[in-house]
Amino acid sequence: MFVDQVKIFLKSGDGGNGLVAYRREKYVPMGGPAGGDGGDGASIIFEVDEGLRTLLDFRYQRHFKAKRGENGMSSNMHGKNSEPLILKVPPGTVIKKVEDDETMADLTTHGQQAVVAKGGRGGRGNSRFASSRNPAPDLAENGEPGEEFEVTLELKLMADVGLVGFPSVGKSTILNSVSRAKPKIGAYHFTTISPNLGVVQSGDGRSFVMADLPGLIEGAAEGSGLGHQFLRHVERTKVIVHVVDISESEGRDAVEDYHTIRQELGEYNPALLERPEVIVLNKTDLLEDTEVIDLFRQEIGEDKEIFSVSAATSDNLQPLLYKVADILDESDEAEVELDETEERVVYRHEKDPDAFKISRDDDGAYVVSGPTIERVFMMTDFNRDAAVRRFARQMRSMGIDDALRERGIETGDTVRILGGEFDFVE
C-alpha cells in the first residue's frame, strides 16, 4: 500500500519540575537550599531512512507523545534528561505545520535529521534562586511544557526522471521495458494508482531512477482524477519524460493531449514548465505511416527533444535513455556550480516573544494571552507564596500591570490566564 500523505499529532516531553529542598545533615550547620533542577523533556526528531518507501507506518499510529524529564531531587541532584523520540521517514518527506501550512523540514538524504517539536526545559530547583539577599529561597520552577501541534507529512518521490501523460499512453510499459520494475499493466484507464520506481541503466552503464506516475487528466491541478494526489511527485524529478499516444488509439488528439498536460503542470507549479523535458511518442508500432509524427513535430516545434518509440517492442528506447542520461549529467554539473556559489543570509522578522494581548470575556474578566506569559504561568508553582510573588514581579516587568490599568481594570477585577484566575490588587 502506497501512502504519501498523513496528518499526525505531536507532543514533545514536558520538562521535569524543580524541587524545593534543604540540606539537613549532622555536623553541617546552615546547609542551605539543596533542591535540584528538573531534566529536559524529550524532543521529537524526524530522521530519514533510505530503506523506507512510504508513510505507511504513520497511517495506523497518529499520536506521538515524547517522555517528560525527570523531576529534580534533593542533595542538589538534577533530574535526568529524556532521550529524544526519533521517527523514521522515507527520503523526500516534507513536514508542514497544519495550523499555518508552514514548511518545518524538507528531508531528502539518508540520516538527515530535523527537530520538529522541541522538548520543554527542566524547571530550576530552589538552590538556583539563592542569593545574598535570599539565601534560603522557598520557590522552584515547574518544568516548561513541551510543544504540541499537528503536522502533515507529504512524501515527494526522489526520482531522477518522471513519466507523465494521460492514462493508457504506455508509461508503465516503458518502465517495464527499461528496468526490472514490474508495474501493473492493463488495457484500461488508471491501471497505475500509485507511483512505481525503477532503476534504469543505459547501454553505456549510466544509471538513474525513473518513476511511473499515475495518469493525469484535464483538471488534475484542481484535484480531478488522481492528479492532485500525485502531481507533487513531479516536483522532485530533474527530467520530465512526457509520454504521448501518437497512434491516438484512445480517440484523443496527440497534440491536444500534450498541451493539456503541460497546462496542468503549469497550473500546479509554474516552475515545472522550466524543467528539462523529453517528449516520447509511443505506440509507433500501431501506425500505418509516419505522417502523423511529422505533423506532431511541426505543431510542437523542432526545438523540442522528441523520440518515436514503441514500448511494446522496445523499439528506439536506448537512444531515449542516452538522451535522458545526458540531461541528468548536465543538471548534476549545474547543481555542483550552484553549490559553490556564495550563500546569502536572509533575515526574517520574528515576533516579539514578550508580546501579549489583553481581551475581555463575556463575564467581564480580563484575559491575558501570549507565549511568554503563558509559559511563565505554567512554570509557576502557585502552592508557594514565594513563587506567586515572583510571578507578580514578572507580570509587572513585562508591562502587563500597566496595560491592564490602561484598559480600566480596578482592584478586585478578575484576571484570567490559561484558565487560571486571580484578583487584581493595586
Side-chain angles (χ1 to χ4, degrees):
M1 182 182 296
F2 186 87
V3 179
D4 70 340
Q5 187 175 31
V6 293
K7 184 166 69 173
I8 61 176
F9 175 81
L10 304 178
K11 171 70 170 72
S12 60
D14 298 335
N17 297 333
L19 182 70
V20 174
Y22 298 93
R23 186 176 182 185
R24 294 184 178 88
E25 297 180 38
K26 195 174 182 181
Y27 308 121
V28 183
M30 301 177 67
D37 299 342
D40 295 338
S43 298
I44 298 181
I45 300 175
F46 284 82
E47 180 180 328
V48 177
D49 183 348
E50 63 184 4
L52 299 176
R53 286 291 176 266
T54 74
L55 298 171
L56 185 63
D57 293 345
F58 298 95
R59 178 162 186 158
Y60 303 106
Q61 183 179 354
R62 299 291 183 96
H63 284 70
F64 295 89
K65 185 176 181 180
K67 293 182 178 179
R68 65 172 294 131
E70 192 176 20
N71 292 335
M73 294 166 281
S74 58
S75 300
N76 283 319
M77 291 190 293
H78 301 326
K80 183 179 180 182
N81 298 334
S82 292
E83 294 295 322
L85 174 61
I86 299 179
L87 305 178
K88 301 293 184 72
V89 293
T93 300
V94 178
I95 304 171
K96 294 183 177 180
K97 203 168 185 177
V98 171
E99 182 181 3
D100 52 12
D101 204 35
E102 175 191 0
T103 298
M104 306 184 71
D106 189 352
L107 305 173
T108 57
T109 57
H110 179 66
Q112 183 181 357
Q113 291 186 338
V115 179
V116 174
K118 195 174 186 306
R121 174 178 62 84
R124 292 174 291 180
N126 69 329
S127 59
R128 293 284 189 177
F129 296 96
S131 65
S132 58
R133 296 179 59 186
N134 185 12
D138 188 35
L139 77 154
E141 287 179 330
N142 291 333
E144 181 183 20
E147 299 179 309
E148 55 179 289
F149 45 80
E150 286 186 317
V151 297
T152 299
L153 307 184
E154 292 184 359
L155 176 60
K156 298 180 181 180
L157 289 181
M158 300 294 292
D160 299 308
V161 181
L163 296 170
V164 303
F166 269 86
S168 298
V169 295
K171 300 185 297 297
S172 298
T173 306
I174 291 176
L175 183 64
N176 181 69
S177 300
V178 300
S179 72
R180 293 190 176 185
K182 299 299 178 185
K184 184 178 181 180
I185 300 173
Y188 53 90
H189 290 186
F190 298 112
T191 309
T192 303
I193 58 175
S194 64
N196 296 298
L197 289 177
V199 178
V200 179
Q201 188 171 43
S202 60
D204 56 2
R206 292 178 292 176
S207 61
F208 50 87
V209 178
M210 180 179 285
D212 163 30
L213 303 174
L216 303 177
I217 62 174
E218 188 172 0
E222 283 74 43
S224 298
L226 299 174
H228 211 193
Q229 187 177 358
F230 294 110
L231 266 169
R232 68 174 66 94
H233 299 300
V234 186
E235 293 182 284
R236 293 284 192 195
T237 60
K238 299 176 182 177
V239 180
I240 295 175
V241 174
H242 194 146
V243 184
V244 178
D245 178 6
I246 195 60
S247 71
E248 300 179 350
S249 58
E250 295 287 323
R252 297 190 306 267
D253 181 83
V255 175
E256 186 178 333
D257 279 5
Y258 172 78
H259 288 305
T260 299
I261 297 301
R262 290 281 293 177
Q263 180 180 344
E264 295 301 328
L265 293 176
E267 289 180 0
Y268 179 76
N269 185 350
L272 294 177
L273 299 180
E274 305 299 323
R275 204 68 53 86
E277 179 193 48
V278 177
I279 303 172
V280 176
L281 306 181
N282 191 28
K283 302 188 181 182
T284 56
D285 55 305
L286 302 180
L287 294 177
E288 296 181 359
D289 56 60
T290 60
E291 182 180 354
V292 66
I293 297 177
D294 297 333
L295 291 175
F296 185 92
R297 290 179 182 273
Q298 293 174 12
E299 289 284 343
I300 300 303
E302 297 293 337
D303 58 325
K304 298 283 188 178
E305 294 288 349
I306 302 177
F307 288 83
S308 303
V309 307
S310 171
T313 62
S314 299
D315 182 41
N316 207 32
L317 288 178
Q318 275 302 319
L320 168 64
L321 300 184
Y322 286 134
K323 183 59 184 178
V324 171
D326 289 342
I327 296 176
L328 288 172
D329 289 343
E330 294 173 2
S331 65
D332 290 341
E333 291 176 2
E335 285 183 3
V336 172
E337 293 178 1
L338 188 63
D339 290 341
E340 292 176 350
T341 58
E342 182 179 353
E343 293 185 1
R344 296 178 60 191
V345 179
V346 179
Y347 296 94
R348 293 190 304 172
H349 173 72
E350 294 186 359
K351 295 180 180 179
D352 180 7
D354 290 338
F356 56 87
K357 183 173 69 173
I358 298 176
S359 58
R360 299 289 297 271
D361 266 354
D362 294 338
D363 59 358
Y366 290 81
V367 179
V368 180
S369 60
T372 299
I373 187 60
E374 289 176 357
R375 184 178 71 251
V376 170
F377 177 83
M378 297 185 71
M379 295 180 69
T380 300
D381 181 3
F382 288 95
N383 294 317
R384 296 184 177 274
D385 292 340
V388 174
R389 290 193 296 271
R390 179 172 179 264
F391 177 74
R393 291 194 301 271
Q394 288 174 305
M395 284 188 62
R396 189 161 50 249
S397 65
M398 291 178 62
I400 296 177
D401 284 10
D402 291 338
L404 287 170
R405 292 187 185 98
E406 291 178 4
R407 290 293 299 266
I409 195 170
E410 297 179 355
T411 299
D413 287 347
T414 300
V415 178
R416 187 172 293 143
I417 302 177
L418 287 179
E421 296 182 356
F422 52 91
D423 294 334
F424 183 81
V425 178
E426 280 288 0

